[in-house]
Amino acid sequence: MVMEVRISVRGLVEFILRSGNIDNRRTVSSDTAMQEGGRIHRMIQRRMGPEYQAEVSLRYVYDAGEYEIVVEGRADGIITGMQAKDDQISIIRQEIMQLPDLQSQTLQLSGAQSQDIQHVTVTIDEIKGTFQDLKKMKEPVPVHLAQAKCYAYIYAKQHQLDSIRVRMTYCHMETEEIRYFHYDYTFAELSVWFMDLMVQYRKWADYSFKWQKARQESIRQMEFPFPYREGQKELVTYVYQTIYHKRKLFIEAPTGVGKTISTVFPALKAMGEDLCERIFYFTAKTITRTVADNTFTLLRERGLQIKSVILTAKDKICFMEESECNPVYCPYAKGHYDRINDAMYDLLTHEDRYTREIIEEYAARYQVCPFEMCLDMSLFSDAVICDYNYVFDPHVYLRRFFSEGIRGEYVFLIDEAHNLVERGRDMYSAVLRKEDFLELKRTVRAYDERIAGNLDKCNRELLYLKRECETYRIEDNIEGFVRTLIRLSSAVEDYLEEHEDSPVRKEILAFYFEVSHFLEMYELMDDNYVTYTQMQEDGSFIVKLFCVNPSNNLQNCMMRGRSTILFSATLLPIQYYKKLLGAEEGDYEVYAKSVFRPEKLGLYIGREVTSRYTRRGDEEYYRIASYIHNIVEKRHGNYLLFFPSHAFLRQIYEIYQIYFNAEETVECIIQEDHMNEEAREAFLNRFTGNEACDLQSLIQMEIEMEEEKSLLGFCVMGGIFSEGIDLKNDSLIGAIIVGTGLPQVCDEREILKKYFDGWGENGFDYAYRYPGMNKVLQAAGRVIRTVDDFGIVALLDERFLSPAYQRLFPREWREYEVVTVDQIGRKVERFWDEWL
C-alpha cells in the first residue's frame, strides 16, 4: 500500500501563499464574518438551476515517487453547460434577477473577460459571505481565489478540459447583495500554477513522508507499557474495535483503570494500521492535558516516534501584555508570515514534543507569534492535545482540519466527557445584555452616528421586550430585534474596515464578536433551543438563545472525524450522557472494571441529616458539624469537605469552629469565592506538605506519612477542588459530602426540566438530579486514586438512601453503611483499625 501525505485545499493554499503580518483586521472580515456563511451558501445554492452541482468533493493525488500527496476539498458549486461568453453573461444576469429585490445588484466581470473568451463549458463557483461593502471590493481575497483555482485545476484534470472558469461569489450577509468576479484559465495555465504550489509544499511533504514511515514502524513494534490490569486489555480492544467500525464509544472508567493509556494506546495502534491519520485528545482542564502529554512521553521513552502538540490559549501564550494581533502594536505579528515557515521547519526537524515552553522558545528566536505557531505545528503533529473548543466551539474550531466539509481520518479522544454537556450548552448558547447597547452607544456616539443610531434601534427593540417581561419570559419571536441586530452588525463591520486606528476600536470589536455569535446561534436555532428574556438581579435585562439540548451540534462536530471515544470516571447514568452527547444508533458503551478493592473504601450514609432548604437551620448545621467532628477525630489526616454553596459552607465552618475545633489538632482552610491560579495551588499544596512545589509536581506527588494533626479543606461541590486533582496516598484520607449536589432552582433549570418532560424523560432527573449526582461522584472520587489507597467517604444526606439515588451509585458503591451522628465515630474507628 502506497503511503499518503494528506492536506486539504484550504490548508495547502493558506500554508504556501501566506505572507506579511498577522492583523486583527483580517479576523473581522474572514473568520468571524464568514461564520455566517453557511446560510449564504445554502441560499445561493438552492436558487441555482439544474446545471448547478452543490458541495462537490474533489481529490487530487500527486505522485511523489515513494509516496503520494493527497489534496482534497469540497467545491461550493460546479456549473456545467455554458457554451460561450454571451450565454455566460446571460445566465449571470438571470441568476441575479431570480433573487428578490436584487435588480440593483452590482455586476462586475473581471480578469480574463476583457479578452475574447473561447467556449467555456464548466465554472467552479466559490461562495463567500461577508459584511464588507461589496462596492469597495476591487478583487477577491487572494487565498479565496487560490482555493477556487485548486478546485478548477483538479476538476479540469479529471475531466480533461482545455479551459475552465472560476467564479468568486461574494454575498453581503445583511442585504444579500451579490458581487461576482470571473476568471477564465486554460488548463496549461492552471497546471503551471498548481505544480508550483506542489513544488513549494514538497519539502514539507518529503519530511512528513519520512517521519510517517518511521512512525508507523515504531507503532508496529510498540507494546503496552505496563502489565494489563484486570479488564484493561478488554477495554483496549473495545477502543480499537470502535475505531475500526467508525463508531462512538462511551466509557464509564472508574479511577485506576488507566483510561488515558487505555485509549491512547489502541488509537496509536489504529494509526499504525492506517485507520487513523491524527489523534485529537480533548480535555476540559490543564491538568488532564498534562496527563495526556505524559502518556505520549512515556511511550516515546519506550521507542515510539510520535509528534505531539499542546495547544495553549492565546491569552496564556501571548508574549504581549494584551493579546492584540496588530502589527503596529505587536512586533511578533509584524512580518510573522515572512518568518514562520523557517521557524516551523527548524522546530519540526529538531523536536517531537511541542509544549508551550518549546513553542515559546522557537517563537522568540524567530520573532513570530507563539499562538499562531502553536496552531501551525498541529498540521505536522500526529497527536493534538487541546481543549474541547478546538473541535466543538463554532468560533475557534480548527478550520485547517475541519472546514472543508470532508470527514477526516481522525480519532477524537474526549477525556472527562461528563463536562461536555454543560460546555456544549455554553458554546451553542448566546446572550446579549440591553445595558451593553446603551453603554456602547455612549462610547461611539462621537465617532460614528450610524453605529449609534443602530444601537439605539436595537435598544428600542429590547425595551419593547423588557416591557413584556416581568422577571422572566419565554419568547416565541424576536425577529424584529434580530433584523435590527443584523443592520447594526453591518454598520460595525463597515466602521472596523474603514477605521483601523480608531480609539474605540477595541470596545467596538469586542461587542461585534458578541453580536456575531448571537446571530450565528440564531441561524442554528431549532427545537433544541429556547429563547427567553430575563431581568437580572443587578437590574439589567438580557435576551438569551439557550441551547437546551446540545446533542445535534456536538454530533455534527464529531462527524468531522472517523471515530470518537468519550470517557470519564463519572459517566453515569450512561444513557443520559449518550442522549446529550450525540450518540447514534449502533454506538457502543462499556462499564470498565474497577481495579480497586471495594472494601478499601469506607462508605457511610447519614440517615438523619440533609441539606434540604426546609431543614436548614442551626439544629441541622450543628448536626452536620457533629458528623464532621466525629469522623475526623478518629484519625489525623487530610480531609476535603464539600458543601452545596459558599453560604452553606460558611454556616458549617462557623459552627464547627465554635463548638468543635481544638486548634492544636485540627486546621481548617476555606475555598474562597474567587481564587486565582496561585491561590489554588497554595490551597492544594497544603495537602501535600510541600508548599513550594509546582502544580505538575503536586499531581504526581505521593506522600506517605502519618499526620500529627488534621487538615480540613472546606470546599464547594462542583467547584475547582472537586475534580481534576489527584491527591494520592495520605495526601487525602477522606471526603465528607454534604447534600446531593442539586443545582439551585432557577429559570434555566426549570426550562430544562420542562423541555425534557416534554421529551418523554424525567425532567427533574435531567435538570437537577443527574448533574447533582455527578458532582457528588466527582467529589467522592478524590479519595481513592491508586491501588494502594484506602479512605472514607461520608454522604451526609438521607436522600442518598432513596431508590432514585441508589440506582445512580457506581458498582463500587454496592457496600455501604447507614449511620447516625452517634454511630459514625465508632464505624469509622473500626474501619481504620482494620486497615492500619
Side-chain angles (χ1 to χ4, degrees):
M1 186 178 191
V2 179
M3 189 171 288
E4 295 178 345
V5 174
R6 301 161 69 94
I7 189 168
S8 69
V9 168
R10 176 172 175 160
L12 176 66
V13 298
E14 288 186 349
F15 183 71
I16 298 300
L17 299 181
R18 59 191 179 181
S19 64
N21 308 324
I22 295 177
D23 193 335
N24 204 36
R25 293 167 291 185
R26 177 175 63 102
T27 308
V28 176
S29 61
S30 61
D31 289 344
T32 301
M34 294 304 176
Q35 290 164 3
E36 299 274 325
R39 175 180 65 85
I40 295 299
H41 278 65
R42 292 188 294 272
M43 178 196 74
I44 293 175
Q45 289 166 345
R46 281 196 303 267
R47 291 173 177 174
M48 294 297 103
E51 295 175 326
Y52 192 98
Q53 304 173 56
E55 303 298 330
V56 179
S57 295
L58 295 171
R59 187 174 188 268
Y60 171 76
V61 178
Y62 177 92
D63 186 355
E66 293 184 85
Y67 69 100
E68 295 175 342
I69 303 175
V70 178
V71 183
E72 54 192 350
R74 182 175 294 180
D76 293 329
I78 297 179
I79 310 168
T80 58
M82 302 180 188
Q83 300 301 316
K85 176 180 177 181
D86 291 340
D87 292 337
Q88 173 72 13
I89 295 175
S90 174
I91 289 175
I92 292 171
R93 287 173 176 158
Q94 289 174 18
E95 292 172 355
I96 293 175
M97 296 304 294
Q98 287 172 0
L99 301 176
D101 303 321
L102 296 181
Q103 285 82 355
S104 60
Q105 294 278 21
T106 302
L107 173 63
Q108 175 168 325
L109 306 180
S110 53
Q113 291 173 336
S114 58
Q115 305 171 6
D116 291 334
I117 299 177
Q118 308 251 332
H119 290 290
V120 179
T121 60
V122 175
T123 297
I124 302 296
D125 192 23
E126 182 68 15
I127 303 170
K128 299 295 180 183
T130 182
F131 284 119
Q132 295 183 69
D133 185 348
L134 297 182
K135 295 182 179 65
K136 295 180 180 179
M137 288 189 70
K138 296 180 180 179
E139 59 185 10
V141 176
V143 171
H144 296 168
L145 180 58
Q147 195 172 339
K149 288 171 69 176
C150 286
Y151 295 137
Y153 169 78
I154 295 171
Y155 189 89
K157 182 175 179 62
Q158 290 176 346
H159 294 80
Q160 300 180 337
L161 301 180
D162 294 330
S163 60
I164 194 169
R165 169 165 290 170
V166 166
R167 182 174 81 176
M168 296 301 305
T169 302
Y170 284 92
C171 182
H172 196 280
M173 289 187 289
E174 179 197 3
T175 64
E176 297 184 0
E177 177 186 3
I178 292 177
R179 183 166 187 178
Y180 296 105
F181 295 91
H182 290 82
Y183 296 86
D184 289 280
Y185 301 99
T186 65
F187 178 72
E189 290 174 321
L190 287 174
S191 294
V192 172
W193 176 84
F194 187 81
M195 286 302 120
D196 183 58
L197 277 186
M198 299 306 296
V199 168
Q200 293 182 63
Y201 182 65
R202 181 69 184 268
K203 175 180 78 169
W204 302 87
D206 285 347
Y207 183 86
S208 294
F209 162 68
K210 292 176 183 177
W211 174 258
Q212 284 184 32
K213 191 174 180 180
R215 181 198 70 193
Q216 297 299 80
E217 181 59 31
S218 73
I219 291 175
R220 281 189 281 271
Q221 297 179 14
M222 179 181 65
E223 296 182 354
F224 198 76
F226 309 109
Y228 280 112
R229 297 172 180 173
E230 185 180 0
Q232 193 172 37
K233 190 170 185 178
E234 289 78 5
L235 180 58
V236 167
T237 302
Y238 292 148
V239 173
Y240 183 88
Q241 290 296 327
T242 301
I243 296 170
Y244 180 85
H245 291 293
K246 300 184 178 182
R247 308 304 305 184
K248 301 185 195 74
L249 174 63
F250 294 78
I251 306 174
E252 162 62 20
T255 301
V257 302
K259 56 186 173 65
T260 306
I261 189 64
S262 298
T263 53
V264 167
F265 180 80
L268 286 168
K269 281 297 185 181
M271 179 179 284
E273 297 297 325
D274 295 318
L275 301 177
C276 161
E277 64 178 278
R278 186 170 281 109
I279 297 168
F280 289 87
Y281 195 104
F282 297 110
T283 74
K285 298 181 183 295
T286 302
I287 291 174
T288 44
R289 259 165 267 168
T290 301
V291 173
D293 180 50
N294 290 342
T295 300
F296 285 110
T297 298
L298 172 71
L299 293 171
R300 281 194 196 94
E301 292 171 352
R302 285 161 169 75
L304 175 67
Q305 296 197 48
I306 193 82
K307 290 186 181 292
S308 63
V309 62
I310 301 177
L311 301 186
T312 306
K314 181 187 289 189
D315 59 347
K316 290 185 177 181
I317 202 172
C318 181
F319 290 146
M320 308 299 288
E321 290 186 9
E322 295 186 17
S323 301
E324 184 178 343
C325 299
N326 187 325
V328 176
Y329 168 76
C330 177
Y332 301 96
K334 186 176 182 180
H336 165 90
Y337 290 117
D338 297 329
R339 301 183 295 272
I340 184 59
N341 282 5
D342 289 338
M344 287 177 59
Y345 198 77
D346 189 4
L347 176 56
L348 180 68
T349 53
H350 288 92
E351 304 283 350
D352 295 340
R353 178 172 169 258
Y354 312 133
T355 62
R356 172 180 174 177
E357 294 74 20
I358 293 173
I359 292 287
E360 287 176 338
E361 176 189 340
Y362 277 79
R365 183 186 305 172
Y366 284 88
Q367 201 170 8
V368 295
C369 171
F371 177 67
E372 290 289 335
M373 184 176 187
C374 192
L375 294 178
D376 282 340
M377 291 310 298
S378 67
L379 290 168
F380 297 94
S381 297
D382 308 302
V384 181
I385 305 169
C386 56
D387 188 83
Y388 295 159
N389 58 16
Y390 286 102
V391 69
F392 294 110
D393 191 285
H395 300 290
V396 300
Y397 71 88
L398 294 169
R399 287 173 174 76
R400 62 199 68 208
F401 299 113
F402 308 132
S403 67
E404 292 287 342
I406 294 176
R407 191 169 186 168
E409 293 298 320
Y410 309 133
V411 169
F412 298 153
L413 306 179
I414 303 179
D415 199 353
E416 302 294 347
H418 64 275
N419 287 304
L420 189 54
V421 174
E422 290 302 326
R423 283 287 298 272
R425 284 188 178 126
D426 289 342
M427 286 186 285
Y428 285 93
S429 296
V431 61
L432 290 175
R433 182 174 171 267
K434 178 180 180 296
E435 287 67 26
D436 292 340
F437 289 81
L438 293 174
E439 183 178 339
L440 186 64
K441 178 185 173 183
R442 288 191 290 269
T443 301
V444 305
R445 182 184 293 149
Y447 298 93
D448 192 272
E449 292 183 0
R450 182 184 170 202
I451 292 179
N454 279 286
L455 285 166
D456 188 58
K457 291 175 182 177
C458 287
N459 180 63
R460 286 201 295 270
E461 291 288 341
L462 289 171
L463 183 60
Y464 169 77
L465 295 173
K466 181 178 179 180
R467 288 169 179 163
E468 299 294 316
C469 173
E470 295 184 7
T471 57
Y472 150 81
R473 170 186 165 96
I474 300 291
E475 300 291 345
D476 295 325
N477 190 335
I478 59 167
E479 289 184 7
F481 170 64
V482 171
R483 283 195 297 269
T484 59
L485 198 63
I486 292 173
R487 288 192 287 270
L488 169 63
S489 180
S490 179
V492 169
E493 173 72 23
D494 290 344
Y495 181 85
L496 292 171
E497 290 290 334
E498 296 169 4
H499 300 82
E500 300 168 356
D501 301 314
S502 169
V504 294
R505 180 181 178 83
K506 183 177 179 180
E507 293 84 353
I508 294 176
L509 188 61
F511 185 79
Y512 172 79
F513 289 149
E514 294 294 323
V515 169
S516 294
H517 176 63
F518 191 94
L519 291 174
E520 184 180 1
M521 294 306 101
Y522 185 77
E523 288 297 324
L524 290 178
M525 279 187 62
D526 55 18
D527 292 341
N528 294 307
Y529 278 80
V530 172
T531 302
Y532 72 88
T533 53
Q534 185 181 53
M535 295 297 305
Q536 304 291 93
E537 291 183 0
D538 62 2
S540 61
F541 176 74
I542 65 165
V543 55
K544 183 167 184 177
L545 311 177
F546 182 32
C547 181
V548 179
N549 181 2
S551 178
N552 286 348
N553 291 328
L554 298 178
Q555 183 185 106
N556 289 336
C557 294
M558 293 181 208
M559 288 177 66
R560 295 165 176 164
R562 174 192 180 99
S563 178
T564 301
I565 314 297
L566 304 98
F567 49 98
S568 169
T570 58
L571 210 62
L572 294 174
I574 204 162
Q575 296 305 322
Y576 161 77
Y577 285 103
K578 288 184 72 175
K579 288 173 182 175
L580 294 186
L581 293 179
E584 301 171 87
E585 185 177 352
D587 288 338
Y588 311 129
E589 63 191 71
V590 63
Y591 197 125
K593 183 176 178 58
S594 174
V595 299
F596 300 147
R597 292 166 57 189
E599 62 269 22
K600 297 182 77 171
L601 175 68
L603 181 62
Y604 308 97
I605 302 177
R607 66 179 174 84
E608 87 288 37
V609 63
T610 185
S611 66
R612 282 192 177 100
Y613 283 98
T614 54
R615 290 259 296 272
R616 291 186 184 184
D618 290 343
E619 181 180 351
E620 199 70 22
Y621 296 150
Y622 181 85
R623 183 179 293 111
I624 293 170
S626 299
Y627 262 103
I628 295 170
H629 170 70
N630 293 342
I631 292 170
V632 303
E633 73 168 350
K634 298 306 177 183
R635 187 191 175 198
H636 294 313
N638 297 338
Y639 298 82
L640 284 176
L641 285 53
F642 296 97
F643 301 91
S645 66
H646 284 282
F648 198 108
L649 180 156
R650 288 285 180 182
Q651 292 282 0
I652 306 301
Y653 173 78
E654 291 173 4
I655 289 178
Y656 182 82
Q657 292 287 72
I658 293 171
Y659 294 102
F660 299 106
N661 189 9
E663 294 184 1
E664 66 275 9
T665 60
V666 176
E667 180 183 0
C668 300
I669 56 177
I670 294 178
Q671 174 187 340
E672 301 295 342
D673 286 350
H674 302 287
M675 300 176 74
N676 58 27
E677 188 170 345
E678 183 178 350
R680 294 197 297 269
E681 288 189 28
F683 185 99
L684 287 173
N685 289 345
R686 296 301 310 280
F687 286 83
T688 66
N690 185 343
E691 299 182 17
C693 69
D694 60 31
L695 189 58
Q696 182 173 344
S697 300
L698 166 71
I699 299 308
Q700 299 174 347
M701 190 171 297
E702 296 184 2
I703 292 186
E704 299 179 0
M705 54 183 290
E706 178 67 28
E707 301 291 342
E708 295 181 357
K709 64 187 299 185
S710 290
L711 176 65
L712 307 188
F714 284 70
C715 305
V716 175
M717 209 183 317
I720 54 178
F721 300 121
S722 62
E723 67 173 290
I725 62 173
D726 201 10
L727 300 174
K728 300 174 181 177
N729 301 106
D730 283 353
S731 295
L732 187 71
I733 65 170
I736 301 172
I737 301 168
V738 180
T740 57
L742 294 179
Q744 289 187 337
V745 176
C746 65
D747 293 331
E748 279 201 356
R749 287 289 145 184
E750 290 300 299
I751 289 173
L752 290 172
K753 181 177 180 296
K754 183 177 179 180
Y755 173 87
F756 288 109
D757 277 337
W759 205 30
E761 301 290 345
N762 185 317
F764 182 82
D765 284 350
Y766 274 63
Y768 294 100
R769 183 174 286 118
Y770 294 162
M773 193 61 192
N774 188 272
K775 290 188 285 185
V776 171
L777 294 172
Q778 283 291 330
R782 299 312 96 207
V783 178
I784 305 293
R785 307 301 298 171
T786 74
V787 292
D788 299 321
D789 288 352
F790 52 90
I792 63 167
V793 170
L795 306 177
L796 301 187
D797 201 298
E798 60 196 25
R799 285 174 286 182
F800 287 115
L801 295 172
S802 70
Y805 280 95
Q806 298 244 321
R807 62 185 172 87
L808 302 180
F809 280 15
R811 294 173 182 173
E812 299 76 42
W813 284 14
R814 287 174 180 167
E815 301 294 330
Y816 58 85
E817 293 192 68
V818 181
V819 297
T820 65
V821 68
D822 296 327
Q823 298 169 338
I824 185 67
R826 294 193 301 273
K827 299 285 188 180
V828 168
E829 185 175 31
R830 187 182 307 147
F831 174 84
W832 293 126
D833 288 344
E834 185 177 333
W835 287 101
L836 293 178

